[in-house]
Amino acid sequence: MTLETAAGNADYGASASGSSFYAAMRILPHEQREAMFQIYSFCRQVDDIADSDGPRPERLAALQQWRDDIDALYQGHPPARLRDYVASVRRFDLKREDFLAIVDGMEMDVPQDIRAPDLATLDLYCDRVASAVGRLSVRVFGLAEDDGILLAHHLGRALQLTNILRDIDEDAGIGRLYLPLEGLLHAGITSTDPHKVISEPALPKVCMPLVARARAHFEKADEIMRRNPRRAVRAPRIMSKYYRAILELLVARGFAAPRAPVRLNKLARLFIILRYAFI
């Protein structure tokens, strides 16, 4: 599940203290909270590389260095920037492959900007940049293995699809288009130029199937959370409620141009915290 997103892929460059992630994680006990902020920091740093305007070969090399550092961490000689992770990795049995999947996901934006991926590629992207974060997170939260992996699968995809729908215009501004090729073609849109696609009158026909897909993932995530101890799912439930509310605001606004930005107001955010943080 994404920690906080703003530009199609996870925007960990945003300040944690002003995010829904921070609000959800601050309710956790100390050791869990520390582990989650380490995961956040890792995601933020690799995302900053992917989203920088540096030369693409340099960004690819920097991401490869993160892979090497993760390998070193799991081989017992962590580099300085990962030394504090050792206790969390051991305590919560965090998996090397999930850290590496996040790097792989960030890298999908680097060789060239993503533009109209097919549905299989889009799902792989969501798995790497969102559900892999979820697989790390559910271990920290203490969910049972099977339900934890299922929750990461569904909630991660729900959150990432919501971000994609929210950030269509912002993504186009940096040359990216995460809407699936099949959806564009079905709506009669043949261009994959982000600037052209966002002004297409048929754009709502592309977006609404993604809304349905996100809603289905939210429903599956809710089913999983309902059958697990409440304290173990407090943080993911807060994230789910935040993003489900954003999704419904997007639907109410519509996807035809011009599209006003959508945000949850402070009162709505406070209500979610009060309703789900102390159960």
Side-chain angles (χ1 to χ4, degrees), residues 62-78:
L63 290 172
Q64 181 57 48
Q65 184 60 58
W66 271 107
R67 291 191 184 91
D68 295 343
D69 286 355
I70 290 296
D71 284 341
L73 169 66
Y74 280 85
Q75 290 164 5
H77 43 89

Side-chain angles (χ1 to χ4, degrees), residues 10-260:
D11 178 18
Y12 303 98
S15 169
S17 62
S19 69
S20 58
F21 165 79
Y22 182 79
M25 301 310 141
R26 66 183 300 182
I27 67 173
L28 296 172
H30 174 74
E31 290 179 346
Q32 291 177 311
R33 187 168 65 250
E34 286 296 304
M36 288 305 303
F37 276 101
Q38 288 167 357
I39 294 168
Y40 179 100
S41 176
F42 167 77
C43 293
R44 172 177 175 168
Q45 291 179 76
V46 294
D47 183 68
D48 283 349
I49 295 168
D51 279 353
S52 77
D53 55 4
R56 295 182 191 271
E58 290 183 11
R59 286 186 274 162
L60 290 171
L63 290 172
Q64 181 57 48
Q65 184 60 58
W66 271 107
R67 291 191 184 91
D68 295 343
D69 286 355
I70 290 296
D71 284 341
L73 169 66
Y74 280 85
Q75 290 164 5
H77 43 89
R81 61 181 174 180
L82 289 176
R83 203 160 290 146
D84 290 343
Y85 287 55
V86 172
S88 295
V89 166
R90 291 174 178 168
R91 182 175 294 115
F92 300 110
D93 192 24
L94 303 181
K95 300 300 183 184
R96 167 183 170 274
E97 57 264 30
D98 292 325
F99 282 109
L100 293 177
I102 295 167
V103 179
D104 290 344
M106 301 302 179
E107 190 177 76
M108 290 174 74
D109 280 314
V110 176
Q112 58 186 11
D113 293 319
I114 288 184
R115 292 192 175 186
D118 59 43
L119 280 167
T121 302
L122 177 62
D123 190 66
L124 176 63
Y125 179 78
C126 291
D127 185 79
R128 287 173 169 176
V129 302
S131 292
V133 182
R135 290 191 290 273
L136 292 171
S137 302
V138 294
R139 291 180 177 277
V140 175
F141 299 150
L143 270 75
E145 180 83 6
D146 290 347
D147 268 0
I149 291 174
L150 275 177
L151 180 59
H153 174 94
H154 289 293
L155 188 53
R157 283 160 169 80
L159 302 186
Q160 195 63 29
L161 290 172
T162 300
N163 290 320
I164 288 169
L165 291 165
R166 182 189 63 188
D167 298 331
I168 292 169
D169 296 297
E170 189 173 345
D171 289 335
I174 57 173
R176 295 175 182 174
L177 178 67
Y178 295 89
L179 300 177
L181 180 61
E182 293 92 332
L184 296 175
L185 295 176
H186 183 73
I189 300 173
T190 56
S191 175
T192 60
D193 182 326
H195 297 287
K196 292 180 180 179
V197 170
I198 63 173
S199 62
E200 287 278 356
L203 188 65
K205 295 180 181 178
V206 184
C207 295
M208 289 312 296
L210 291 184
V211 169
R213 187 179 291 245
R215 283 172 169 164
H217 283 303
F218 275 120
E219 292 300 324
K220 289 290 187 181
D222 284 346
E223 290 177 16
I224 297 162
M225 288 189 284
R226 281 195 294 268
R227 65 178 180 245
N228 278 275
R230 289 185 175 186
R231 292 190 66 83
V233 296
R234 287 186 304 167
R237 181 171 276 132
I238 289 170
M239 296 292 288
S240 176
K241 297 302 179 182
Y242 267 60
Y243 278 84
R244 183 65 185 265
I246 290 171
L247 181 65
E248 298 309 326
L249 287 173
L250 289 169
V251 173
R253 180 206 64 187
F255 294 99
R259 289 168 290 273

